């Protein structure tokens, strides 16, 4: 019997892990800031910063598996927020309760921001970590602690490093969502020069990749990416073409942040070969899905306000 | 006005920092498991695992400087103990309370066990970290978090990586203390082959180096060592000669742990050039001092039991 507890299960990525986990035969327990509506999922409530609550939770569920997606993720502030430091401690608390009540296998969410971004291409084995933000530094520390504690307590652990994600429920100020909503609202979509090379993965594929990683016995850091490099300008143009509004795209209208590296790409050999996972959507189908989701979401919100 | 709080102030190394700090003009506040007798030091009590106690402590003292030496250090068990993980959280709690109440400069105790020991020579800038123990992993995580939090909260921080230490109050099962007490008790001193190259620093010098580091504005990792490499066999032989019992030394009588690296040495350029610190004792005078201390301690304990 595989029984998983998913933390951060109502978040942008967490919510996308529930269905793939069920498909893989897990009994799925979830905890998040808002209870979701996914059928067949058992929702729990509780503050992960309260060690007593956490212990009680694990004692009652006794999950064999843990998918730890919870973290502070407020758009804009999450890079430097002091909450990042609190989440290192909360992550340890969760792992200790998990181990204490028979847990066997953990996967947690890491980030490309752990790597030294000057390397451009980020490989789990080759590329040194040198985070430049509080977010990256705390994720890296949590990763080190998780791996050390997993060896100590005798459970299996992997750390999925997320690169660029887009899709339904994305925050409206993030790249793909902001371009999409501008185009659909017939406003200009303001972008930077767009020359940056990135790896974009549809959020449903990110969720599916995490489910596959949890269901494998691969340990250590694993990059979560599509393996396809695309310039931000090209991605924006594809979106604008799909939306039928190429004339609304304004490349160069915004200044790129000086800290924005020209290349930030994962190697995905571990994910493809060891986990045996590949994306279900290519970029065009992922963008089309996203566009459709926003179209119906915006239409629904117009209806609501009428 | 320089006001320092020393944590772990009754420990093997912590106790040796108090006098050098006073000499440098610090008002010295101390917290430790046992209150010490050092004159002019203001002792406090409290559990560093209790966030409320920690906040109250910093609020009342308002130290400008923090020397964080506290950690789990039980001989034998400290390498793998689960307490290592708790101390990462406690260290963050201490740093947050320090920053909240006006703290400006922190130095904390790290370890050579953070480095990838396969490199042999450990340089702060060049040598990758790859701890193989819970102790090393948690110290490394605490270091990463301390540096990230120092940037976040705007205080200055350095991390002293301790190599091999000997001297008064050493645990009797550690190398120098066990050889010394065997020799003084006219028993055989059982050692491994002794070919390992190490850097030994007298604990009073370690304490003085930490005081100097705290009183500097050097940031980041700084190795704490003598800069002199010595084989363990040579050190043991010098001890035996000084004790007048060379025939009691039994090199090769114990098996060296397979994990014991042949070379484990610090580069000390940062300490010597940037901090401007050099040891006050060479190995012979340090060993002589240690021998004298054990002679009077053992004599006192014999007297007590008579």
């Amino acid at each position: 019997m595989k029984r998983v507890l998913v933390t951060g299960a109502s978040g942008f990525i967490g919510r996308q892990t529930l269905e793939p986990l069920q498909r893989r035969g897990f009994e799925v327990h979830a905890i998040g800031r808002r209870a979701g509506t996914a059928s067949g999922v058992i929702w729990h409530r509780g503050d992960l910063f309260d060690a007593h609550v956490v212990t009680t939770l694990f004692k009652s569920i006794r999950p064999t598996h843990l998918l730890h997606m919870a973290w502070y993720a407020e758009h804009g502030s999450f890079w430097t927020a002091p909450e990042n430091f609190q989440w290192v401690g909360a992550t340890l608390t969760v792992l200790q309760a998990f181990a204490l009540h028979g847990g066997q296998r953990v996967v947690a969410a890491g980030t490309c921001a752990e790597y030294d971004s000057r390397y451009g291409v980020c490989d789990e084995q080759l590329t040194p970590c040198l985070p430049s933000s509080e977010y990256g530094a705390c994720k890296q520390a949590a990763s080190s602690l998780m791996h050390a504690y997993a060896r100590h307590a005798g459970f299996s652990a992997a750390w999925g490093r997320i690169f660029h994600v887009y899709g339904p429920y994305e925050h409206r100020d993030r790249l793909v969502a902001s371009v999409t909503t501008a185009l659909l609202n017939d406003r200009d979509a303001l972008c930077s020069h767009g020359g940056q090379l990135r790896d974009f993965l549809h959020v449903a594929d990110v969720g599916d990749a995490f489910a596959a990683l949890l269901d494998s016995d691969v340990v250590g850091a694993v990059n979560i990416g599509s393996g396809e490099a695309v310039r931000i300008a090209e991605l924006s143009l594809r979106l604008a073409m799909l939306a039928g509004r190429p004339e609304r795209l304004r490349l160069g209208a915004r200044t790129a942040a000086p800290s924005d590296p020209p290349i930030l790409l994962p190697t995905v050999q571990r994910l493809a070969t060891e986990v045996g996972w590949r994306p279900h959507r290519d970029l065009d189908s992922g963008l089309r899905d996203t566009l459709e989701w926003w179209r119906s979401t915006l239409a629904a919100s117009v209806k609501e306000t009428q």
Side-chain angles (χ1 to χ4, degrees), chain A:
Chain A
M1 177 62 186
K2 301 186 291 186
R3 187 185 299 119
V4 64
L5 175 62
V6 182
T7 70
S10 60
F12 175 43
I13 297 173
R15 67 166 69 221
Q16 301 285 351
T17 66
L18 306 176
E19 192 272 326
L21 287 166
Q22 289 183 300
R23 223 182 325 113
R24 287 174 176 273
F26 283 94
E27 177 184 304
V28 179
H29 294 254
I31 183 162
R33 284 190 299 168
R34 298 165 297 275
T37 53
S39 72
V41 172
I42 304 147
W43 284 86
H44 302 265
R45 296 199 66 84
D47 177 5
L48 295 181
F49 286 97
D50 183 329
H52 180 70
V53 165
V54 170
T55 306
T56 308
L57 187 72
F58 279 88
K59 193 175 176 185
S60 72
I61 303 174
R62 295 189 65 85
T64 55
H65 290 63
L66 170 65
L67 184 55
H68 181 50
M69 307 300 287
W71 197 271
Y72 183 76
E74 204 59 51
H75 180 77
S77 67
F78 80 94
W79 286 108
T80 57
E83 282 83 355
N84 284 296
F85 296 93
Q86 310 305 330
W87 273 104
V88 179
T91 296
L92 248 180
T93 304
V94 165
L95 292 173
Q96 286 167 335
F98 176 67
L100 185 65
H101 296 290
Q104 295 161 23
R105 166 85 178 155
V106 175
V107 168
T111 166
C112 57
E114 293 167 54
Y115 288 112
D116 184 338
S117 66
R118 295 170 300 179
Y119 283 78
V121 172
C122 302
D123 182 89
E124 301 95 334
Q125 322 280 355
L126 293 178
T127 312
C129 284
L130 187 66
S132 60
S133 62
E134 282 84 342
Y135 176 63
C138 291
K139 281 285 189 180
Q140 195 206 347
S143 161
S144 305
L145 286 169
M146 181 194 75
H147 288 117
Y149 188 68
R151 282 192 301 273
H152 173 82
F155 58 81
S156 161
W159 185 258
R161 292 207 178 115
I162 300 166
F163 280 68
H164 287 72
V165 188
Y166 69 94
Y169 299 100
E170 190 177 17
H171 191 284
R172 283 206 193 189
D173 292 340
R174 283 166 50 100
L175 178 74
V176 171
S178 76
V179 170
T180 307
T181 54
L183 294 167
L184 292 178
N185 286 323
D186 206 22
R187 292 193 323 261
D188 280 357
L190 310 181
C191 300
S192 70
H193 58 77
Q196 309 95 323
L197 273 173
R198 296 288 184 271
D199 183 296
F200 280 87
L201 191 57
H202 188 281
V203 68
D205 269 335
V206 175
D208 193 58
F210 269 96
L213 181 55
L214 185 71
D215 204 18
S216 78
D217 53 11
V218 174
V219 299
V222 178
N223 290 336
I224 306 294
S226 72
E228 298 289 333
V230 62
R231 289 191 196 282
I232 285 182
E234 190 188 338
L235 171 129
S236 306
L237 188 60
R238 287 208 214 173
L239 252 180
M241 302 287 280
L242 289 169
R245 289 280 182 282
E247 76 286 359
R248 281 299 198 185
L249 190 63
R250 299 270 307 279
L251 292 172
R254 280 189 175 160
T255 313
S259 62
D260 208 16
I263 304 177
L264 187 62
L265 298 171
T267 59
V268 295
Q269 278 74 14
R270 290 208 82 192
L271 183 60
T273 312
E274 298 185 42
V275 182
W277 185 89
R278 281 166 206 282
H280 299 283
R281 290 172 179 77
D282 63 12
L283 187 58
D284 264 337
S285 70
L287 290 178
R288 208 174 289 124
D289 171 81
T290 305
L291 203 60
E292 282 318 304
W293 185 86
W294 277 111
R295 223 191 283 273
S296 58
T297 301
L298 293 174
S301 81
V302 166
K303 224 171 185 175
E304 265 176 36
T305 57
Q306 276 171 349

